[in-house]
Amino acid sequence: MNEKIIIFKNDKIGDLLHSYNAIQDIINKNLNKKVLIFLSQYNSEMKFLFKSNNVSFKIITEKININDKIKLFFFFLKMNIKEVYILKPSNFLFYLPLIFYFKKIKFFGVCVDNNNYKRPVLFLRNFLNKFVINNRGSKKIRKSIHDLYMDLLTGDKNLKKKFNSIDNNRNIHLKTNNYILIHYNKFKFSKLNLGLNELDLLINTLKNYEKRIVLTNDLNDEKTNDLLLSKYNNSKKDFVDYYPNIQSEDLFKLIGNAKLVISFHGSITSMAAIQNTKVIDLFNCDIKTKEDFYRYKNAYHEFVPKLNNYEFIIPKKNFNNTVNRIKNLLTNGRKINY
């Protein structure tokens, strides 16, 4: 195992989850080589997703600082590297094919085009063995980032890509497996002037659809944790199981065992998607101009999985309307029925 395969995915948790299938394919096709994945401090807690004897990890900064640049330079200089996959379009990473052109390393990358910039510039793309373009400036319907990752790995342009889910048969101590998981994100709720009263409305509405409600909250939000503990850890709310400060691997298992996940768009909905858990994605939009419309439209096509058990709605400041929309999806929806 002298030759190394390098993967750069040093960004956020949600971004890493969208690349799960691509990274797993790279690992499986190189079982006789060492695969080294560069993660960030943000998504390193998800490395349990890629358990394999040939896989190791290094942590670098998301916005690569000068110390990491120097370390990467000497790392590439010394190591026997066969292929490099740049799945996080950092400008510095696209200089590596030029700097180490003499080493005959194969580089593959996801490039970004926008109205005001190209990452990397066209000149540097000439040193990539293969690249795909995430055209964020386009006003047309475009491929999801998941499909672009898969395009990067195959030469067959007609191959139909699937968002393959991973096995969600996982063990965690639960009172029941018949539950709906609701994730409370204080920041995203507050952007719509919503809070714990609206969360309580949603919980009380959904208790009729499953035997239990599992509630999670963002890490390190101690004030909200205390409020939720006092509100739901009592006999009046004995149908609610609250998991404060649950860590990533346990949260992942909790999501995988749920019958349905309801959350604002982000890492929670992505964790559900790759485990084939049903999802109602609250996709928040603040549209004031035509440019805002196209920006959110592009974000939808880039990040919302096209799955047959995945619904999305745009939540309203009048949360009663949002709850009624959720109820309608549960009883009359095409993808999710209770």
Side-chain angles (χ1 to χ4, degrees):
M1 284 194 183
N2 291 325
E3 289 185 323
K4 288 185 180 291
I5 308 296
I6 307 299
I7 302 171
F8 285 101
K9 203 70 188 82
N10 51 308
D11 42 22
K12 298 293 196 297
I13 289 177
D15 298 303
L16 175 66
L17 292 169
H18 286 287
S19 67
Y20 169 79
N21 283 329
I23 294 175
Q24 200 61 59
D25 274 7
I26 295 169
I27 294 169
N28 292 338
K29 291 174 182 176
N30 293 281
L31 294 175
N32 62 334
K33 300 178 180 66
K34 290 184 178 180
V35 177
L36 177 60
I37 306 175
F38 283 88
L39 299 175
S40 72
Q41 61 270 38
Y42 299 110
N43 63 24
S44 60
E45 59 197 89
M46 302 300 294
K47 61 186 179 183
F48 65 86
L49 288 174
F50 307 105
K51 291 179 180 178
S52 179
N53 291 333
N54 65 321
V55 175
S56 59
F57 304 89
K58 281 187 178 292
I59 309 303
I60 58 173
T61 48
E62 182 187 13
K63 295 181 179 178
I64 303 174
N65 61 31
I66 186 64
N67 288 332
D68 282 335
K69 289 177 181 179
I70 293 170
K71 290 177 182 177
L72 283 172
F73 175 81
F74 285 106
F75 175 83
F76 271 77
L77 192 64
K78 293 187 295 183
M79 293 297 173
N80 180 17
I81 299 170
K82 181 183 180 182
E83 295 175 351
V84 177
Y85 293 87
I86 303 173
L87 304 185
K88 201 268 186 179
S90 169
N91 271 323
F92 171 76
L93 296 177
F94 288 111
Y95 281 96
L96 296 176
L98 172 62
I99 296 170
F100 295 100
Y101 181 76
F102 68 95
K103 295 196 72 171
K104 306 298 182 184
I105 301 169
K106 292 183 178 180
F107 283 86
F108 306 83
V110 178
C111 304
V112 176
D113 282 359
N114 211 326
N115 295 327
N116 301 319
Y117 65 85
K118 293 184 184 295
R119 189 186 309 148
V121 296
L122 298 180
F123 171 72
L124 291 177
R125 296 181 189 187
N126 293 325
F127 295 89
L128 296 169
N129 290 79
K130 183 178 179 182
F131 63 87
V132 293
I133 298 175
N134 186 8
N135 189 354
R136 289 178 174 166
S138 174
K139 294 182 179 180
K140 299 178 181 179
I141 295 175
R142 57 194 178 89
K143 287 188 176 183
S144 69
I145 190 62
H146 168 271
D147 285 357
L148 285 174
Y149 290 140
M150 301 308 291
D151 279 346
L152 188 64
L153 303 186
T154 177
D156 184 359
K157 295 182 179 180
N158 297 315
L159 182 64
K160 186 176 181 180
K161 318 291 187 311
K162 292 183 179 180
F163 197 108
N164 297 313
S165 62
I166 68 174
D167 181 13
N168 67 352
N169 185 19
R170 303 172 187 281
N171 296 317
I172 189 171
H173 180 67
L174 298 167
K175 295 181 180 179
T176 177
N177 280 335
N178 295 319
Y179 61 88
I180 294 174
L181 185 143
I182 300 172
H183 183 76
Y184 180 71
N185 182 304
K186 180 179 178 181
F187 173 74
K188 292 181 180 178
F189 264 71
S190 63
K191 284 184 73 174
L192 292 171
N193 296 320
L194 307 175
L196 296 184
N197 289 335
E198 287 75 20
L199 173 65
D200 198 47
L201 170 64
L202 178 60
I203 287 172
N204 284 299
T205 300
L206 294 175
K207 70 179 181 180
N208 298 319
Y209 292 90
E210 285 292 352
K211 294 180 181 178
R212 302 199 71 78
I213 301 294
V214 163
L215 177 63
T216 59
N217 180 40
D218 286 350
L219 289 174
N220 304 317
D221 184 1
E222 296 298 334
K223 183 177 180 180
T224 304
N225 278 344
D226 291 342
L227 292 171
L228 292 175
L229 281 169
S230 64
K231 191 175 185 66
Y232 295 113
N233 276 15
N234 57 62
S235 59
K236 294 181 181 179
K237 299 289 186 182
D238 60 358
F239 58 91
V240 179
D241 297 325
Y242 177 46
Y243 290 79
N245 284 323
I246 186 169
Q247 299 299 309
S248 291
E249 188 164 3
D250 286 336
L251 175 60
F252 190 81
K253 295 173 183 177
L254 201 63
I255 289 169
N257 280 294
K259 299 297 183 183
L260 170 70
V261 168
I262 300 176
S263 172
F264 275 89
H265 181 80
S267 59
I268 302 298
T269 54
S270 296
M271 287 187 200
I274 68 170
Q275 296 185 87
N276 203 30
T277 303
K278 294 178 181 179
V279 176
I280 294 180
D281 181 335
L282 305 180
F283 194 81
N284 190 21
C285 300
D286 184 16
I287 300 174
K288 296 177 181 178
T289 65
K290 184 183 290 187
E291 287 71 25
D292 288 338
F293 169 78
Y294 284 116
R295 179 163 54 86
Y296 282 110
K297 178 185 174 185
N298 269 340
Y300 167 79
H301 288 298
E302 182 172 346
F303 295 114
V304 174
K306 310 302 188 291
L307 298 172
N308 61 7
N309 60 356
Y310 196 107
E311 293 275 17
F312 94 102
I313 61 175
I314 298 175
K316 306 295 183 183
K317 290 185 178 180
N318 183 340
F319 202 63
N320 282 304
N321 292 341
T322 301
V323 171
N324 288 333
R325 176 71 175 127
I326 291 173
K327 288 169 59 179
N328 186 57
L329 286 176
L330 293 178
T331 54
N332 304 310
R334 293 182 299 108
K335 299 181 178 181
I336 300 171
N337 278 285
Y338 275 76

